[in-house]
Each structure stands twice: as C-alpha cells, then as structure tokens.
Amino acid sequence: MQLTRRDALSLGLGATALALVPLRVSAAADEAIAAFTGGAAPAMAGITLTAPEIAENGNTVPISVDSPGAVEIRVFADGNPTPAVAAFTFGPLAATHSASTRIRLAGTQDVVAIARMGDGSFAEARQTVKVTIGGCGG
Amino acid sequence: MASDVKARVKVPKSATAGGTITIKTLISHKMESGQRKDGDGNVIPRSIINRFTCEFNGQLVIDVVLEPAISTNPYFEFEATVPEAGEFTFTWYDDDGDVYTETKAISVS
C-alpha cells in the first residue's frame, strides 16, 4: 500500500486526537462547576492551588488552596467518577482563607479550585496532576 | 465504624491574643467511596465522613463538606485567629449518623 501525503496527515491527526483524550474535561465536572458559579465566568486570579505535578499514588494526593477574600472554596477533579472533592467555608475566626487536605484522583487529570469571593465574583485556579496509580478502586 | 475512629488534633497550648495559629487535624476513617467492588463484584456501600467543622468559643473557623474523593483518614490543616483564651471544638459527621467531637483548650499570653 502506498502511503500518500493525505494518509500521513490523517494518521498524524488521529494520533493527536488520541493523545488529547486523557485531558478531556468531563461534562459532569463542567456541570458541577456551572452549578456552583451559576454560569458566571470566574477570574483566573485571586486564588492559589498547590498540587504536585506528578502523584505516584492517586489514593492520597496533597493539595492546598489559598484565596484571600474568599467566602467559600470548592475543589473539583474533572476526571473522577464524581467531580466534587470538597467545599471549604470560612468563618469569622479563619485567620487565612487557606486549607490543606489529601484527595483521591482516579487518573491523570485537572484539579480545579473555585473561590466565591465576598462580593459574589468567582476566581478559578487549575492544575494538571499526573497520576501513576489511580485511587478510586474498582 | 464507630468503634475504631480516633481523632487527633494538633493545637498550640498558648497563643498571643489576636494571633494566628496553625491547626492540624487527622481522623482515622476508611472513607469507603462507594466506587469499589468486593471479591464477588458487589459494590461496597459508601461510608464516609461528610462534614467537618471547627469552632472557637462558638464562632466558626472553618466548615468543610467532604466528598468521596477525600482520602482515607481525612487530614486538614488551616489557620485560625485566637481573640481570647478559650476552647476549640472539632466535629466530624459520619454518613452513618455518628458524630465525633474533640476539644482543645488554648490560653493567651
């Protein structure tokens, strides 16, 4: 079989599409985020999400969020069977609007943190975490 | 689950009035996600701690809603303001209705 230029191009495109699959944002995560923000587009500043670039064990991935002025911070994992991870609400005695915890990630995916500010606006931070061993069992 | 749950909290013994302290909490809990299956292919039912709160003298510091994506033995670290001497109350709410509480007193200098 002769490999034409057109074939070679489509092969390349197919490979690119395959490579993009793990990064695909699940519709469930988008819906969960939209339900929280009410469809408002969040600003990309005002919140810090700290997560490892590579997590060897998806069962326990340390993350921390920090957003001065936030009333509530929610964390989503867009590749998990259920995207919601945690929701932090800060009271009057919270010295800083930050928190750290450990989460489960089913595989390589984006972790998204969204803060609801005191004035009703939203801020978003996201980071891709590569997971070597997934942490959702099954 | 109720029998072998043990909460551990790390709070400094004293602080300056109006100062900031770091609090670390850990509670032993298997946090069964409801996604796993046992050897026969039956889904193991979800059993997690679904809420954690920390209050100081009745005023809220932090209130966390936990989902199945929180790891086994949930750990939290956060910072609190200490306006006066008093007591921190930590509360964990289990799916099965159990409530675990822990208190820590703190003095101001």
Side-chain angles (χ1 to χ4, degrees):
Chain A
M1 183 193 121
Q2 191 94 27
L3 189 68
T4 64
R5 204 170 115 120
R6 184 165 297 182
D7 285 339
L9 267 176
S10 61
L11 267 176
L13 278 177
T16 315
L18 272 178
L20 285 176
V21 164
L23 295 175
R24 180 177 49 91
V25 175
S26 77
D30 279 349
E31 277 171 25
I33 292 169
F36 176 49
T37 62
M44 294 310 237
I47 179 167
T48 318
L49 167 68
T50 313
E53 270 177 39
I54 298 176
E56 287 195 355
N57 183 356
N59 266 316
T60 165
V61 181
I63 62 153
S64 56
V65 288
D66 181 13
S67 177
V71 178
E72 182 177 0
I73 301 179
R74 290 203 189 184
V75 181
F76 301 92
D78 67 15
N80 272 5
T82 49
V85 172
F88 302 93
T89 310
F90 299 100
L93 288 183
T96 59
H97 292 183
S98 64
S100 306
T101 186
R102 297 174 188 148
I103 67 172
R104 291 177 176 141
L105 295 176
T108 298
Q109 59 182 289
D110 278 3
V111 176
V112 186
I114 300 192
R116 183 163 59 84
M117 299 301 187
D119 61 4
S121 65
F122 294 89
E124 175 186 314
R126 63 171 65 219
Q127 191 187 329
T128 305
V129 179
K130 284 189 177 142
V131 176
T132 322
I133 305 166
C136 280
Chain B
M1 196 61 222
S3 55
D4 52 346
V5 171
K6 187 175 178 352
R8 275 182 286 171
V9 176
K10 203 170 181 184
V11 178
K13 286 201 168 50
S14 67
T16 52
T20 297
I21 59 160
T22 300
I23 297 175
K24 295 177 182 179
T25 71
L26 185 73
I27 186 165
S28 56
H29 195 285
K30 61 184 175 190
M31 295 293 278
E32 191 59 63
S33 68
Q35 302 283 343
R36 300 198 310 149
K37 291 178 177 155
D38 64 16
D40 303 326
N42 304 315
V43 173
I44 305 171
R46 176 183 130 153
S47 168
I48 67 167
I49 288 172
N50 55 47
R51 185 165 171 237
F52 163 69
T53 61
C54 171
E55 288 181 344
F56 180 73
N57 289 354
Q59 273 199 292
L60 182 70
V61 177
I62 195 168
D63 183 339
V64 187
V65 176
L66 288 76
E67 303 285 347
I70 298 292
S71 299
T72 307
N73 303 337
Y75 163 82
F76 291 105
E77 181 181 334
F78 51 92
E79 290 180 327
T81 307
V82 185
E84 73 250 341
E87 198 172 60
F88 280 100
T89 308
F90 304 89
T91 317
W92 290 263
Y93 300 85
D94 198 312
D95 265 355
D96 65 14
D98 283 343
V99 176
Y100 318 112
T101 48
E102 180 83 22
T103 55
K104 289 276 177 190
I106 188 166
S107 60
V108 292
S109 50

